[in-house]
Amino acid sequence: MIKKLLVVLLAVVSATVSFAQKIQSPDEFLGYKLGTQFTPHYRIVEYFKYVAQASKNVKLQQFGSTNEGRPLLAMFIASDENIGRLEEIRHNNLRVAGVESGPVITNVPVITWLSYNVHGNEPASSEAAMWTLYDLVDPSNAQTQAWLKNTLVVIDPCLNPDGRDRYVNFYNSVHGLSPDAYPTSREHAEPWPGGRVNHYYFDLNRDWAWQQQKETQARVGLYNQWLPQIHVDYHEQGPNAPYYFAPAAEPYHKDLTQWQRDAQVLIGKNNAKYFDQNGWMYFTKYEFDLLYPSYGDTYPLYNGSIGMTYEQGGIGAGLAVVNRSGDTLTLVQRVAHHHSTGLSTVETASANAQKFKDEFKKFYDNSRTNPPGEYKTYVIKNDNNNKINAMAKLLARNGIQYGFGLANKSVTGYDYMNGKTEAYTVGPNDLVVNAYQPKAVLLHVLLEPKTIIPDSNTYDITAWSLPYAFGLKAYGIKESLKPASAEWSIAAPKPLVNTHAYAYVSSWSSVADVKFLAALFKKKIKVRYAEKSFDAAGKTFAPGSLLITRAGNDRADFDQVVTQTAAELNQEVTPLSSGFVDKGSDLGSDAVRYIRQPKVMLVAGDGVNSEAMGEVWHLFEAQLGYPITLIRYQDIPRTRLADFDVAIFPDGRYDDFPSDKLQNWVRDGGRLIAIDNAVASLVDKKGILLKKKEDKKDDKDKDKTVKIYGDRDRDAIRGMIPGAIFKLNLDNTHPLGFGLPDYYYSLKMNDDIYELFGGEDGWNVGTIKKDSYVSGFAGATAKQKINNGLLLGVQPMGRGSVVYMVDDPLFRSFWENGKLLFSNAVFMVGQ
Ligand SMILES: [Zn+2]
């Protein structure tokens, strides 16, 4: 007994002693020098957990988990005075921003947030995160302890754990006894899909604003509870590039303030000081611009922070690689560089803490009193509850305040759909967003109809305005008008009970309706669609409307299953007591088509654009809940295609296309959906009638132009479309256009366009005429080429069909309207 007590006492004493003991460095904890091995994610987590135990100046928060179940962590590091009042500091910061109301105090630290390893195969930064953490918590480090007096540091050690482990597991499984620095040796060639992306192959550094992935939803949720003054997003680039840090390259979005520009120089110069001391190469003001709102630098910038990207050369470099200049780049060096900029940034934050806080306050004061942009109120017309709901959800996730309806219903505003200023009567359930609010800048960037691009040489897409992405009518109004109500006045659809219907009807006009169809299929309910519009039960139903008839669903629980499924998904369904309709074709006519539940395969693997494939995969699994089989391209020859009804070819390069096999399958009733570059791969194949539209260049004139070598970057962009919006004419009587109006806004990423089908060859469903350009950058020659041609087409072939989608309708999963278009190709075409 006494012995036992003694053990307990000893344990207590040693715990107390260990608190005062030296904290282990990552090298000591891991048992190897940082950079001499790749640390698996779980070991990084263990080090962070260890420090959370060993240091009294930290708080570790798990704020989410990945698709593969790995934890997402944020470590808060603060002085003795501040660590016990993190919640006070957080609320105070939100009050300064005006996100919360209440009294503001001034003795608070500046908040610096360091985000590591968003791209899994840019792995040096998570190693550096451990070192940076150690330096910040090391009580014997007088310098960092002084910085923490007025600085709160947040470290997210790994934004993409699934991608990181994919890379690290690959590397550790292929390298030999010592690293091979030869650049084309196997350990520098990651297999498909690579570790850059998350589980569903999404680029998490393109997802900040859209928040389509669970990692982003969790992280931005936490981010918006804090709103740091400084945010760094850690990356790596090709192994030949020197280090990159702020200031960023043009274009900068015009809403960025002078201080946000100046602060990048301030921070960059301090980083440069250390790089100069060490003789390390670096560059600034080049390549990485500040426009597209969904990055780890721009998103924080549009939220009042100094958002920056830091890039070390190192993708594919393994532990060591010989670069173009003949030098050997090692992981040890890469880690040292990222460690240096981390500390340097905290140093700058501390040295200028008051200025960072003052300017942060000014940014939010301005947002609330003098918001940017011509329009002070945005009205989004509600002609589809599900779409409005989806858009409201996106605004809410970004902390943008909105409401519904206006007291004075008559307004005049800029009509997004036709570009004219028109009168409009606001409905009670129209989404209304007033620009005078804390998130005014982000709101403006996401909703302005045309992005102003001061310089066209950009890194990413240049147009994303939400009304086009959601396919919703919208008005920009110059007066500041407050929404009439915080909630919409639409009652949730009443669950139907005790009905004994001849059939049930559901709309087909958003991805929520597709989800309902998928749920019915799962419960083995047979569904039909109306090819033409019809009137029944006092309503008009549009083409594509889902019909769930008792006929064919001969089961006792039929009514119960349909009404319960509808209730679970909040889906409105209308029971019909008769198959005799008031106007249009009766339910038994051949205008009502049976939807055969398709078995779907998605082509994956080498040659396929993994992100494009991931968008389809994620849509089916995570959004629709519909089964899909992934088959590697090289395995198509040994796949029994008759087991599938639909084959999806995402963007990719398809060499040695198995034409005969696929063509026979289509002729037997298969449906091949080709997207983006897969369309180009099909041209000239046997049976394919689609033809590329070649641009008619006046070569004679072109030869005479004297090109200046130094202008070659600029010249190249004349033919470029880095992502611009074009308006298509849509044949919405064709199943591919069901549920959409007779137009469709497409995000064009290239200048591909095809000849219209002639005669019986195929259906020209989405076509483009002259002057179809809407927003974003399109080079002069490219703009000229996007004219009179086809972008969406269906070619019947035997009993099957080929669907051509020249632009990716699911791009980054934020082009909400494209999800319905794509679902039409899967579920409606060819039935
Ligand atoms: Zn990166």
Side-chain angles (χ1 to χ4, degrees):
M1 188 67 193
I2 288 171
K3 207 175 161 192
K4 214 172 178 183
L5 194 70
L6 201 68
V7 171
V8 173
L9 266 174
L10 270 174
V12 171
V13 170
S14 68
T16 321
V17 169
S18 78
F19 223 57
Q21 265 173 4
K22 193 181 153 300
I23 295 166
Q24 284 183 40
S25 70
D27 291 6
E28 288 161 342
F29 182 85
L30 298 168
Y32 52 85
K33 182 176 156 45
L34 269 186
T36 58
Q37 288 185 32
F38 284 108
T39 310
H41 184 256
Y42 82 93
R43 290 290 283 156
I44 297 170
V45 173
E46 282 175 356
Y47 185 65
F48 271 67
K49 284 185 173 166
Y50 157 74
V51 172
Q53 293 293 317
S55 168
K56 58 184 176 17
N57 293 99
V58 298
K59 191 190 148 229
L60 183 62
Q61 183 180 354
Q62 178 177 349
F63 61 86
S65 58
T66 67
N67 287 294
E68 295 172 18
R70 295 183 178 87
L72 298 168
L73 302 177
M75 183 75 107
F76 296 82
I77 308 139
S79 64
D80 292 346
E81 295 72 38
N82 289 332
I83 195 66
R85 55 169 196 140
L86 290 179
E87 273 305 277
E88 187 191 9
I89 294 165
R90 184 174 78 77
H91 284 296
N92 189 70
N93 200 50
L94 295 178
R95 285 173 194 160
V96 169
V99 173
E100 284 182 5
S101 55
V104 166
I105 53 170
T106 52
N107 63 332
V108 285
V110 61
I111 305 166
T112 303
W113 190 302
L114 307 174
S115 288
Y116 295 89
N117 215 164
V118 65
H119 292 141
N121 62 357
E122 301 170 6
S125 72
S126 285
E127 311 282 348
M130 291 185 274
W131 189 0
T132 307
L133 170 66
Y134 171 70
D135 279 350
L136 289 170
V137 298
D138 178 5
S140 67
N141 189 325
Q143 209 178 24
T144 57
Q145 298 319 292
W147 298 338
L148 288 179
K149 293 235 175 296
N150 63 357
T151 311
L152 166 64
V153 182
V154 188
I155 290 185
D156 181 337
C158 188
L159 278 67
N160 180 10
D162 293 352
R164 178 186 172 85
D165 270 2
R166 193 180 309 127
Y167 174 78
V168 170
N169 290 338
F170 149 73
Y171 187 82
N172 287 341
S173 70
V174 296
H175 81 79
L177 289 174
S178 54
D180 188 341
Y182 189 73
T184 58
S185 67
R186 181 179 63 156
E187 65 200 61
H188 302 300
E190 247 187 305
W192 194 93
R196 175 182 177 88
V197 286
N198 78 342
H199 178 79
Y200 282 110
Y201 305 165
F202 273 66
D203 183 336
L204 296 180
N205 190 35
R206 304 291 185 275
D207 193 42
W208 279 75
W210 321 131
Q211 296 168 49
Q212 294 295 314
Q213 296 300 296
K214 68 181 295 194
E215 292 91 343
T216 323
Q217 286 168 11
R219 170 168 26 84
V220 181
L222 182 71
Y223 184 94
N224 279 321
Q225 286 170 23
W226 278 92
L227 298 175
Q229 279 77 43
I230 297 165
H231 180 264
V232 183
D233 196 31
Y234 275 93
H235 289 260
E236 289 188 83
Q237 48 188 337
N240 293 307
Y243 201 97
Y244 161 83
F245 47 74
E250 291 289 339
Y252 284 31
H253 192 282
K254 67 177 186 334
D255 288 353
L256 298 184
T257 65
Q258 192 56 47
W259 162 248
Q260 288 181 314
R261 292 158 187 263
D262 294 346
Q264 296 203 30
V265 177
L266 182 73
I267 294 169
K269 283 197 168 163
N270 201 58
N271 291 345
K273 185 177 80 186
Y274 293 102
F275 276 59
D276 289 342
Q277 275 170 18
N278 287 292
W280 298 334
M281 297 274 272
Y282 61 92
F283 67 96
T284 65
K285 307 181 281 289
Y286 184 69
E287 194 162 349
F288 302 99
D289 62 72
L290 299 175
L291 195 65
Y292 173 74
S294 224
Y295 287 136
D297 52 13
T298 48
Y299 187 86
L301 280 161
Y302 300 146
N303 284 282
S305 182
I306 308 304
M308 294 167 297
T309 293
Y310 291 175
E311 298 260 0
Q312 163 65 41
I315 295 179
L319 291 177
V321 75
V322 175
N323 66 18
R324 213 181 281 143
S325 26
D327 301 321
T328 301
L329 173 71
T330 64
L331 182 61
V332 172
Q333 294 163 348
R334 290 151 61 197
V335 173
H337 300 167
H338 271 338
H339 167 256
S340 166
T341 56
L343 292 183
S344 162
T345 303
V346 177
E347 181 181 36
T348 312
S350 173
N352 303 275
Q354 194 57 45
K355 178 75 173 161
F356 278 107
K357 288 190 291 173
D358 290 347
E359 291 287 343
F360 176 82
K361 181 177 184 304
K362 212 191 275 177
F363 178 94
Y364 277 96
D365 286 348
N366 271 334
S367 295
R368 282 177 278 117
T369 56
N370 184 24
E374 205 178 336
Y375 307 121
K376 304 305 173 196
T377 310
Y378 300 91
V379 175
I380 322 293
K381 181 178 161 64
N382 184 352
D383 50 18
N384 187 311
N385 287 345
N386 287 332
K387 281 190 194 174
I388 287 284
N389 211 0
M391 185 150 155
K393 208 159 136 187
L394 179 69
L395 296 178
R397 277 182 179 153
N398 284 298
I400 294 171
Q401 299 155 2
Y402 58 87
F404 296 91
L406 281 177
N408 184 356
K409 298 175 186 68
S410 300
V411 294
T412 302
Y414 173 86
D415 182 335
Y416 277 59
M417 299 292 129
N418 65 16
K420 291 175 188 153
T421 299
E422 287 187 343
Y424 173 67
T425 305
V426 179
N429 298 311
D430 288 357
L431 187 69
V432 173
V433 190
N434 184 283
Y436 290 78
Q437 60 165 299
K439 294 295 191 91
V441 175
L442 182 65
L443 166 69
H444 179 234
V445 174
L446 294 180
L447 271 127
E448 62 183 335
K450 287 182 196 291
T451 321
I452 294 174
I453 306 152
D455 183 315
S456 43
N457 210 350
T458 164
Y459 197 63
D460 211 300
I461 61 166
T462 54
W464 46 76
S465 187
L466 292 182
Y468 302 118
F470 280 76
L472 286 164
K473 287 184 179 143
Y475 297 87
I477 297 155
K478 289 186 177 170
E479 299 87 59
S480 165
L481 304 167
K482 299 272 181 205
S485 156
E487 302 288 332
W488 66 13
S489 57
I490 301 163
K494 279 200 196 91
L496 295 164
V497 280
N498 286 336
T499 175
H500 191 80
Y502 180 87
Y504 296 88
V505 198
S506 153
S507 64
W508 182 262
S509 57
S510 78
V511 72
D513 302 319
V514 186
K515 205 171 162 179
F516 179 55
L517 174 66
L520 291 173
F521 278 155
K522 204 172 186 175
K523 292 175 180 167
K524 307 247 179 330
I525 295 286
K526 289 181 177 168
V527 186
R528 291 154 212 269
Y529 74 76
E531 198 181 66
K532 296 192 174 115
S533 81
F534 66 94
D535 289 5
K539 292 182 187 170
T540 299
F541 295 96
S545 295
L546 301 178
L547 283 157
I548 310 134
T549 58
R550 182 173 304 277
N553 286 304
D554 190 13
R555 50 196 274 185
D557 61 353
F558 170 66
D559 300 277
Q560 200 193 344
V561 171
V562 175
T563 53
Q564 258 179 20
T565 308
E568 279 160 21
L569 294 175
N570 222 3
Q571 180 79 4
E572 191 173 350
V573 290
T574 306
L576 300 182
S577 57
S578 167
F580 187 100
V581 302
D582 299 332
K583 201 175 148 195
S585 306
D586 292 327
L587 301 200
S589 75
D590 71 353
V592 173
R593 323 279 299 189
Y594 172 59
I595 308 175
R596 203 152 67 100
Q597 183 178 342
K599 289 189 208 74
V600 185
M601 67 172 257
L602 170 62
V603 181
D606 284 334
V608 178
N609 172 343
S610 61
E611 288 173 43
M613 190 227 100
E615 290 157 6
V616 179
W617 186 23
H618 185 258
L619 177 76
F620 273 81
E621 281 209 350
Q623 299 178 55
L624 299 179
Y626 193 84
I628 189 163
T629 299
L630 275 53
I631 292 180
R632 294 189 309 168
Y633 180 57
Q634 70 256 44
D635 291 332
I636 289 178
R638 63 185 186 91
T639 299
R640 220 170 73 102
L641 291 181
D643 291 339
F644 298 95
D645 303 291
V646 172
I648 300 164
F649 284 72
D651 181 42
R653 269 194 48 210
Y654 297 98
D655 300 332
D656 306 318
F657 198 75
S659 287
D660 288 339
K661 183 166 182 170
L662 282 162
Q663 205 196 14
N664 289 336
W665 168 74
V666 173
R667 288 199 180 285
D668 285 345
R671 201 175 325 141
L672 194 158
I673 302 171
I675 306 169
D676 205 335
N677 216 30
V679 177
S681 299
L682 281 177
V683 172
D684 297 335
K685 299 289 181 301
K686 216 165 83 186
I688 297 297
L689 302 173
L690 191 72
K691 290 198 170 51
K692 226 176 179 162
K693 198 169 174 234
E694 297 305 335
D695 42 341
K696 298 172 191 92
K697 286 176 202 144
D698 198 337
D699 289 333
K700 255 194 239 162
D701 274 0
K702 218 173 182 192
D703 288 344
K704 284 180 194 160
T705 329
V706 177
K707 279 193 184 166
I708 305 298
Y709 184 73
D711 289 348
R712 62 196 186 283
D713 283 1
R714 305 247 137 235
D715 287 346
I717 65 173
R718 283 153 54 90
M720 246 176 68
I721 300 183
I725 301 171
F726 284 77
K727 187 176 186 175
L728 272 60
N729 297 305
L730 194 71
D731 176 1
N732 63 358
T733 67
H734 190 282
L736 186 57
F738 279 173
L740 295 159
D742 59 2
Y743 56 85
Y744 174 77
Y745 289 93
S746 192
L747 185 64
K748 261 205 100 34
M749 310 289 294
N750 53 46
D751 66 351
D752 287 357
I753 185 159
Y754 291 81
E755 298 282 0
L756 296 176
F757 284 119
E760 305 289 299
D761 285 355
W763 299 104
N764 300 302
V765 182
T767 55
I768 204 147
K769 289 193 175 145
K770 233 179 146 71
D771 304 324
S772 305
Y773 161 81
V774 177
S775 172
F777 177 76
T781 51
K783 221 178 198 171
Q784 228 166 29
K785 195 185 155 192
I786 307 299
N787 229 323
N788 294 320
L790 175 144
L791 291 179
L792 292 166
V794 178
Q795 181 193 336
M797 191 186 283
R799 287 192 286 133
S801 49
V802 182
V803 181
Y804 305 100
M805 308 184 106
V806 178
D807 300 314
D808 180 357
L810 301 176
F811 184 72
R812 293 178 191 164
S813 205
F814 87 97
W815 209 257
E816 192 70 20
N817 218 21
K819 293 175 188 172
L820 180 65
L821 181 74
F822 177 76
S823 299
N824 280 335
V826 174
F827 295 104
M828 294 301 196
V829 172
Q831 297 280 8

